[in-house]
Amino acid sequence: MNVKKIQVLLAQPESASLEFKSSIDLKNDRGKAKFIKEVLSLANMHGNPAYLIIGVDDETRDITGFGGYSEVDIHNFVRDWCLPPVDFDFHIVEIENKKLG
């Protein structure tokens, strides 16, 4: 994932294959469930690329930034909570001096 791809996605409306989240909270069960629900929903696109961009307000598209979790944290979390495993990549990209997941 690169900045140009992020900019293209930011210009698109949310859809079945594109979701924006201002943040995620993996410290409580409700936050974990919401995140996994989003991941599984996007994973069910059956071969079509789907994107969840964390650090963007879904209504205003303001870049709020992403923090608190590393790429390894997210990969391990999804691996541990999704059975059967889902095929996904997670990257942290910097745009406008803020990080997005």
Side-chain angles (χ1 to χ4, degrees):
M1 183 66 63
N2 60 44
V3 172
K4 284 192 181 246
K5 180 65 175 179
I6 293 285
Q7 290 171 327
V8 167
L9 292 171
L10 289 172
Q12 297 178 17
E14 284 189 314
S15 65
S17 62
L18 177 61
E19 183 72 29
F20 299 104
K21 293 289 178 206
S22 58
S23 64
I24 59 171
D25 181 4
L26 303 181
K27 295 181 176 127
N28 64 63
D29 289 342
R30 183 180 176 110
K32 290 175 185 177
K34 284 178 69 175
F35 179 64
I36 289 299
K37 179 181 172 186
E38 293 292 341
V39 169
L40 292 175
S41 174
L42 293 169
N44 283 324
M45 294 305 299
H46 301 293
N48 296 323
Y51 303 92
L52 171 61
I53 301 177
I54 307 165
V56 176
D57 186 280
D58 62 336
E59 292 183 22
T60 66
R61 297 292 168 81
D62 290 338
I63 297 176
T64 58
F66 171 79
Y69 305 100
S70 70
E71 291 178 357
V72 172
D73 293 335
I74 300 298
H75 277 277
N76 289 341
F77 180 80
V78 172
R79 182 198 65 220
D80 293 345
W81 283 79
C82 294
L83 292 174
V86 296
D87 182 24
F88 84 106
D89 288 315
F90 181 81
H91 304 280
I92 296 176
V93 177
E94 190 168 317
I95 187 168
E96 296 180 15
N97 296 316
K98 295 182 181 173
K99 294 179 181 177
L100 299 180

